[in-house]
Amino acid sequence: MNALALGGAVVLMLCWPESAFAHEECKAPGCAASEAYHGMPEIATIGARTGKYMDIPESSKGPAIDPAKGYRIQELGRGLYMVTENVYQAMFMVHDKGVVLADVPPPLAAYIPKAIREVTGKPVTHIIYSHAHADHIGAAGDLLATLPKKPVIIAHEETRAILARAADPRRPLPGVTFRDKYTLKVGGQRLELSYHGNGHEPGNIFIRAPEQRTLMVVDVIFPGWMPWRRLALAQDIPGYFAQVEKIKSMDFDWLVSGHVARAGTKADVVAQHEFLQDLKAAAGKALQTTALGEGMDGRDKSNPWAVFDNYIDRVAAQCVNTLTPKWASRLAAFDVYIWDQCFTMEQSLRLD
């Protein structure tokens, strides 16, 4: 519903989609044009309803979840485990005196204690926050309320600052923070924590288990999948690209990424790196080869916002068309977020 102010009066106009009343065309200013942009991709744009999304490639799927349990655990090495319901992931390490838990996502809140009890009866002694986002640590407060002895919470100093501002009881403040690196040695086990700048949000850390050849980095790599919208809501796009490069350069066998149906491998990192390079090239070429104002109603060319909206739409459309043949069948949910990624990339190339 559009509210148009005309001569001091507000006129409400309903702009129905073409499928609703094929014989009527909305001619009010602000309605969709009767003809789409030339060369418009078949993949539905942001805000348009998708009839049937693309199927998930078999290579992107993880092991099935037992419906009676609702979760699964995967052993990654000596005393190191991933727990997931095939959407969110957490990691825990068993040591001589207890358990170190990395992240407490609310969707896993009921499963994490059960998963730990499958492996050991030892208590949780430490909790590591990968970063401050509530969807990854928002069940920490509830977990602490069930423990007889409060564990040590470890996080980056930026994460602590974000949480202090949030004042969210679901995400208790960490008692131990660090700036660049922190090594946790406990009960015969070792975890190396490091900070590599703002790729996803300030404070997002790398958690490495060197003996188990496992790396945990959350909301950066999505094994077998298109990254979440807007490159996983990365606050710093060049920083995000740099973190993918860093992960690609590291030596590991398993990657716990915080999301999707399976643990990642180095091949998954290489694939996402390749996709990002293709995305950058496609958006860059579209920016260079798309003309301003093409196909616009001449009356709108004095409206700079409209001119750039028209231009950016066509840049994104060219970007989507360029990437679809190679990547639509390789990355799960390509169709869900490819428009988001192209809009994000063109904006970063213009502004960052």
Side-chain angles (χ1 to χ4, degrees):
M1 182 177 289
N2 291 338
L4 302 180
L6 300 176
V10 175
V11 180
L12 297 179
M13 296 183 175
L14 291 175
C15 296
W16 295 97
E18 186 176 11
S19 59
F21 296 97
H23 61 284
E24 293 185 11
E25 178 184 341
C26 177
K27 298 182 181 297
C31 284
S34 58
E35 294 183 9
Y37 293 118
H38 176 71
M40 194 68 175
E42 292 185 356
I43 294 174
T45 60
I46 296 171
R49 182 180 178 184
T50 298
K52 167 66 177 71
Y53 289 100
M54 292 177 178
D55 292 337
I56 298 172
E58 289 298 318
S59 60
S60 301
K61 298 177 181 178
I65 298 291
D66 179 354
K69 291 177 63 176
Y71 69 95
R72 65 180 179 87
I73 59 175
Q74 178 177 339
E75 186 171 3
L76 304 171
R78 184 180 67 90
L80 187 65
Y81 302 86
M82 181 183 75
V83 55
T84 181
E85 74 334 4
N86 281 2
V87 179
Y88 278 86
Q89 301 170 356
M91 186 174 76
F92 66 93
M93 173 179 274
V94 181
H95 58 87
D96 290 347
K97 299 178 181 179
V99 174
V100 179
L101 174 61
D103 280 358
V104 199
L108 298 180
Y111 302 138
I112 287 173
K114 296 177 182 179
I116 292 173
R117 286 197 298 269
E118 279 191 40
V119 175
T120 181
K122 296 175 182 177
V124 175
T125 59
H126 300 75
I127 296 176
I128 299 172
Y129 291 164
S130 65
H131 63 303
H133 282 163
D135 66 319
H136 289 281
I137 64 168
D142 288 342
L143 177 64
L144 262 62
T146 69
L147 301 178
K149 184 177 180 181
K150 297 298 181 278
V152 176
I153 301 177
I154 306 170
H156 191 264
E157 61 184 21
E158 291 275 9
T159 295
R160 191 187 194 285
I162 293 169
L163 295 178
R165 180 185 64 191
D168 181 0
R170 300 174 304 161
R171 296 175 284 168
L173 293 179
V176 175
T177 61
F178 67 97
R179 175 170 297 178
D180 298 317
K181 295 180 180 180
Y182 182 87
T183 299
L184 176 63
K185 297 179 183 178
V186 59
Q189 294 278 30
R190 178 188 181 100
L191 288 172
E192 297 173 352
L193 316 184
S194 58
Y195 184 56
H196 301 275
N198 180 9
H200 174 58
E201 78 155 356
N204 203 42
I205 62 172
F206 290 27
I207 305 168
R208 180 171 173 261
E211 178 191 328
Q212 294 82 0
R213 295 183 55 77
T214 296
L215 177 66
M216 181 175 183
V217 184
V218 173
D219 286 342
V220 177
I221 303 294
F222 296 78
W225 286 70
M226 171 68 79
W228 181 257
R229 66 183 312 173
R230 305 279 169 163
L231 295 178
L233 305 180
Q235 295 185 17
D236 182 336
I237 301 302
Y240 176 83
F241 272 68
Q243 287 202 357
V244 174
E245 291 278 3
K246 178 63 178 177
I247 294 168
K248 182 172 175 281
S249 74
M250 297 177 73
D251 187 24
F252 60 88
D253 294 331
W254 292 113
L255 176 72
V256 177
S257 61
H259 281 291
V260 299
R262 60 175 175 81
T265 65
K266 196 66 176 285
D268 291 311
V269 179
V270 171
Q272 185 163 319
H273 178 270
E274 182 182 352
F275 167 73
L276 291 174
Q277 298 309 306
D278 287 354
L279 172 66
K280 186 175 183 179
K285 183 176 180 180
L287 285 166
Q288 294 172 358
T289 58
T290 302
L292 280 171
E294 189 175 275
M296 289 189 71
D297 187 316
R299 294 169 295 179
D300 289 327
K301 291 188 177 181
S302 62
N303 180 343
W305 269 215
V307 170
F308 273 91
D309 179 60
N310 171 279
Y311 169 69
I312 291 168
D313 281 351
R314 289 182 292 114
V315 166
Q318 181 178 325
C319 173
V320 172
N321 280 331
T322 300
L323 295 169
T324 298
K326 177 177 178 178
W327 291 102
S329 62
R330 290 181 62 184
L331 295 178
F334 174 88
D335 54 329
V336 179
Y337 288 134
I338 185 56
W339 281 98
D340 279 280
Q341 317 306 20
C342 284
F343 279 118
T344 298
M345 192 74 254
E346 66 79 20
Q347 177 174 282
S348 177
L349 289 174
R350 286 187 298 106
L351 302 179
D352 287 333

